[in-house]
């Protein structure tokens, strides 16, 4: 756009130059710098209060803090850090700040120069603004609620932008702090005229959080993990959730002000490891990406709040913890704060919502001095089912008194190999059929879905080993192999979600008498 300018009077030009130089850093060098600088006292009779102007907002995503002063001219685009990406669908609210005196007067000019963002926000609480959204990284503001932009001070506030693009899944923008723009400003090239078309370059960093669950533990080996080293989390065992949140970078002169994690564990399917002191469920908090001073200390660097009714953990970094994390990252990128929460898996129950399926999502709130940002993690999934053993003879008569142990196993009939130790579920490792010929193992982990991901080639099944036969019947000659895959129990069309029944037949004793 062609720049519209008016000639300055010779008188007071030096003072106006000082004002423009003070303004420049706010237009590019900081995401939260005010565009209203300190100024020398000067009379500005040549600012035409009827001249219409524009403010063009250029929006970029970059993790590289910019320290190059801006000028308010479109040529400042050349100073954007290498690798920065234009952002579309970023929302702003623009308001004109009511002034007690116009800026073409000495007192009005001085008051505008001394104004802070907080003061401007207070003055514009009841002022209606114009909501604008960037397209291909920019938006030109020409009016507010139908009124053209004319000389004055403008407050620009970035709003939540959940659809900002391009932004990878799971990431959220760290908004630029609110800032002020003076209209007009001194032309940066000739410094002898006013520029009524101002360009500003507030920049964003991105932040995100990731949730992982560990419901299968493996011992890594160069040649592969032996089946006996695979340990699934069964009901009664502890399950671990990690929340990993990016540490947002912060500009010079800023610091981390907030870092809070909130995680609600499903009380129908999970319970605290230590009911008398549930806060112990927060196992550790540390900084990832650092080799030194990475561990954070409870009640020093962070505090845990537990709400029993919703089984919610809140982990909030203290001032000391925020300072420690900031000292480790030094405002840079590539660091995460990790919170590990452990709980105990309850037995399977078909009386709860989505029986056997444990879902978990957490939220993280951060503030790097530019305002609070809330991110929501992905949702993890864990599946535990109920295995019903139905013991009968060839005539379908229920058989009482059969006792079974449970193992992981591989191979096929005639060549079945038991792997590892007996499996315990709910602290039980032996199951005996009752009068109806049945016994249930409640809370058995599926074999083909672990750590919230499908296992394309399950390496084992479960095997029931009969250790005591019903009275009058023979022991089984080999283990009974049981498939326990996720889709078998939780797939579409399953009649009883999460439940599998296996019928096992015994033959009468063959001992002659």
């Amino acid at each position: 756009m062609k720049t519209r300018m008016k000639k300055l009077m010779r008188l007071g030009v030096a003072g106006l130059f000082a004002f423009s130089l003070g303004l420049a850093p706010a237009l590019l060098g900081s995401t939260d710098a005010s565009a209203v600088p300190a100024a020398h006292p000067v009379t500005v009779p040549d600012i035409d209060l009827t001249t219409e102007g524009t403010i063009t907002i250029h929006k970029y995503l970059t993790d590289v803090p910019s320290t190059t002063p801006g000028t308010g001219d479109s040529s400042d685009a050349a100073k954007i850090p290498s690798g920065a990406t234009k952002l579309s669908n970023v929302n702003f609210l623009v308001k004109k700040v009511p002034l007690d005196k116009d800026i073409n007067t000495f007192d009005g000019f001085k008051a505008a120069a001394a104004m802070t963002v907080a003061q401007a926000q207070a003055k514009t609480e009841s002022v209606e603004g114009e909501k604008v959204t960037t397209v291909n990284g920019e938006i030109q503001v020409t009016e507010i609620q139908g009124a053209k932009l004319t000389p004055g001070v403008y407050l620009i506030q970035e709003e939540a932008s959940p659809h900002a693009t391009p932004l990878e899944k799971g990431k959220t923008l760290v908004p630029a702090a609110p800032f002020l723009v003076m209209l007009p400003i001194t032309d940066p090239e000739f410094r002898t005229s006013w520029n009524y078309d101002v360009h500003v370059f507030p920049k964003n960093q991105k932040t995100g959080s990731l949730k992982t669950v560990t419901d299968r533990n493996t011992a890594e080996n160069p040649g592969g993990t032996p089946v006996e080293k695979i340990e699934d989390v069964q009901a009664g065992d502890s399950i671990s959730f990690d929340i990993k949140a990016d540490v947002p970078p912060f500009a010079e002169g800023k610091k981390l002000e907030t870092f809070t994690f909130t995680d609600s564990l499903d009380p129908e399917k999970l319970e605290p490891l230590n009911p008398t002191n549930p806060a112990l469920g927060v196992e550790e908090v540390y900084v990832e990406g650092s080799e030194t001073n990475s561990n954070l200390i409870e009640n020093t660097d962070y505090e845990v709040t537990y709400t029993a009714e919703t089984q919610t953990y809140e982990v909030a970094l203290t001032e000391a913890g925020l300072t420690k994390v900031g000292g480790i990252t030094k405002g840079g990128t590539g660091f995460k704060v990790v919170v590990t929460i452990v709980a105990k898996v309850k037995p399977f129950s078909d009386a709860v919502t989505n029986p056997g399926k444990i879902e978990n999502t957490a939220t993280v709130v951060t503030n790097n001095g530019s305002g609070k940002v809330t991110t929501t993690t992905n949702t993890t999934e864990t599946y535990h089912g109920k295995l019903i053993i139905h013991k009968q003879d060839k005539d379908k008569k229920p058989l009482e008194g059969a006792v079974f142990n449970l193992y992981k196993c591989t191979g096929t009939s005639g060549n079945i190999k038991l792997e590892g130790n007996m499996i315990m579920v709910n602290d039980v490792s032996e199951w005996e059929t009752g009068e109806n010929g049945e016994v249930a193992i409640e809370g058995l982990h599926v074999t083909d879905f672990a750590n919230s991901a499908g296992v394309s080639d399950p390496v084992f099944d479960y095997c029931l080993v009969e250790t005591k036969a019903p009275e009058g019947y023979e022991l089984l000659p080999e283990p009974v192999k049981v498939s326990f895959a996720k889709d078998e129990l939780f797939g579409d069309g399953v009649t009883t979600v999460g439940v599998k029944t296996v019928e096992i037949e015994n033959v009468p004793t063959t001992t002659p008498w």
Side-chain angles (χ1 to χ4, degrees):
M1 175 178 291
K2 186 176 180 181
T3 302
R4 287 160 286 163
M5 305 176 182
K6 286 205 166 202
K7 277 295 193 179
L8 291 171
M9 295 178 61
R10 283 176 173 270
L11 182 62
V13 167
L16 292 173
F17 283 176
F19 172 79
S20 300
L21 285 171
L23 169 65
L27 300 178
L28 179 62
S30 172
T31 57
D32 65 342
S34 165
V36 180
H40 295 296
V42 61
T43 302
V44 193
D46 218 24
I47 293 178
D48 185 349
L49 298 180
T50 65
T51 299
E52 297 174 3
T54 65
I55 298 174
T56 302
I57 303 171
H58 302 262
K59 195 62 178 170
Y60 285 84
L61 174 67
T62 177
D63 287 330
V64 181
S66 175
T67 56
T68 306
T71 65
D73 188 72
S74 60
S75 62
D76 285 339
K79 302 174 184 177
I80 293 295
S82 175
T85 304
K86 290 183 177 181
L87 284 171
S88 294
N89 302 319
V90 178
N91 304 316
F92 290 90
L93 179 64
V94 183
K95 293 182 176 182
K96 188 172 184 179
V97 182
L99 301 176
D100 296 329
K101 296 184 179 181
D102 291 327
I103 64 170
N104 65 344
T105 66
F106 172 80
D107 290 337
F109 202 83
K110 182 178 179 181
M115 186 178 297
T116 66
V117 168
Q119 291 170 335
Q121 289 173 325
K123 283 177 172 287
T124 57
E125 280 186 0
S126 59
V127 174
E128 194 169 3
E130 184 78 14
K131 292 181 179 291
V132 297
T133 303
T134 59
V135 177
N136 195 28
E138 65 181 57
I139 183 66
Q140 186 181 73
V141 186
T142 60
E143 60 181 39
I144 295 178
Q145 297 299 312
K148 298 295 184 179
L149 267 59
T150 53
V153 177
Y154 291 84
L155 170 65
I156 300 179
Q157 301 179 93
E158 185 173 333
E159 299 190 320
S161 304
H163 304 296
T165 57
L167 201 63
E168 56 264 51
K169 185 178 180 181
K171 295 293 184 179
T172 301
L173 288 181
V174 178
F179 57 97
L180 302 178
V181 173
M182 179 77 84
L183 186 70
I185 61 172
T186 304
D187 168 44
E189 183 177 358
F190 299 105
R191 304 177 61 77
T192 58
S193 55
W194 290 113
N195 176 7
Y196 286 81
D197 299 305
V198 179
H199 292 256
V200 293
F201 293 76
K203 294 170 287 299
N204 290 79
Q205 292 86 34
K206 59 187 175 182
T207 186
S209 52
L210 174 70
K211 189 72 179 287
T212 60
V213 60
T214 302
D215 55 29
R216 173 173 290 176
N217 300 290
T218 60
E220 299 295 337
N221 291 283
T225 302
V227 175
E228 67 269 17
K229 296 295 183 181
I230 298 175
E231 296 181 359
D232 279 19
V233 172
Q234 313 293 353
D237 294 340
S238 62
I239 188 170
S240 175
F241 299 95
D242 279 354
I243 312 166
K244 297 186 177 184
D246 294 335
V247 179
F250 51 89
E252 185 176 354
K254 297 292 183 180
K255 64 177 183 177
L256 292 176
E257 296 181 3
T258 305
F259 220 130
T260 303
F261 298 75
T262 303
D263 193 6
S264 297
L265 304 182
D266 188 343
E268 291 186 324
K269 299 159 190 172
L270 299 170
E271 61 184 345
L273 287 179
N274 187 335
T276 60
N277 190 359
L280 293 177
V282 178
E283 189 173 69
E284 61 179 340
V285 181
Y286 62 94
V287 179
E288 186 176 86
S290 170
E291 295 181 359
T292 59
N293 299 323
S294 60
N295 292 324
L296 302 183
I297 303 170
E298 185 179 1
N299 297 325
T300 298
D301 300 320
Y302 67 91
E303 295 177 343
V304 179
T305 302
Y306 178 76
T307 304
E309 184 179 358
T310 57
Q311 205 160 267
T312 299
Y313 290 88
E314 181 181 276
V315 179
L317 267 60
T318 62
E319 190 65 33
L322 293 167
T323 300
K324 179 182 286 188
V325 173
I328 293 172
T329 69
K330 294 180 174 59
T333 61
F335 296 90
K336 300 178 186 295
V337 173
V338 184
V339 173
T340 300
I341 297 176
V342 293
K344 186 164 74 171
V345 179
K346 285 185 175 183
F348 178 93
S349 171
D350 52 16
V352 302
T353 306
N354 295 324
K357 183 180 181 181
I358 301 173
E359 295 181 293
N360 187 256
T361 305
T363 58
V364 181
V365 179
T366 58
N367 186 345
N368 67 346
S370 297
K372 289 186 178 181
V373 175
T374 301
T375 62
T376 302
T377 69
N378 55 300
T379 300
T380 61
E381 297 179 3
T382 297
Y383 294 89
H384 291 84
K386 177 194 287 189
L387 176 61
I388 298 176
I389 304 167
H390 184 78
K391 194 69 166 170
Q392 60 187 18
D393 64 10
K394 63 182 181 62
D395 298 319
K396 306 297 183 180
K397 174 187 173 183
L399 299 180
E400 180 182 4
V403 178
F404 292 91
N405 295 143
L406 184 68
Y407 291 83
K408 297 188 296 289
C409 62
T410 56
T412 57
S413 180
N415 190 32
I416 292 177
K417 180 183 178 183
L418 302 181
E419 305 283 358
N421 300 320
M422 283 189 301
I423 294 173
M424 296 188 69
V425 181
N426 299 315
D427 297 322
V428 175
S429 60
E430 186 176 87
W431 293 270
E432 182 175 356
T433 58
E435 291 183 2
N436 63 352
E438 291 186 352
V439 65
I441 302 176
E442 299 179 323
L444 189 61
H445 192 269
V446 296
T447 57
D448 65 339
F449 192 92
N451 299 339
S452 205
V455 180
S456 59
D457 184 22
V459 294
F460 69 88
D461 289 302
Y462 289 119
C463 272
L464 291 165
V465 177
E466 189 175 51
T467 59
K468 180 180 180 182
E471 185 175 353
Y473 291 83
E474 297 287 351
L475 281 168
L476 298 176
E478 67 174 355
V480 177
K481 193 172 182 180
V482 178
S483 173
F484 211 68
K486 173 176 168 283
D487 283 349
E488 291 180 71
L489 287 87
F490 299 94
D492 295 338
V494 174
T495 303
T496 306
V497 175
V499 179
K500 180 171 184 175
T501 300
V502 57
E503 295 182 346
I504 302 175
E505 183 180 317
N506 281 73
V507 300
T509 182
T510 57
T511 304
W513 61 279

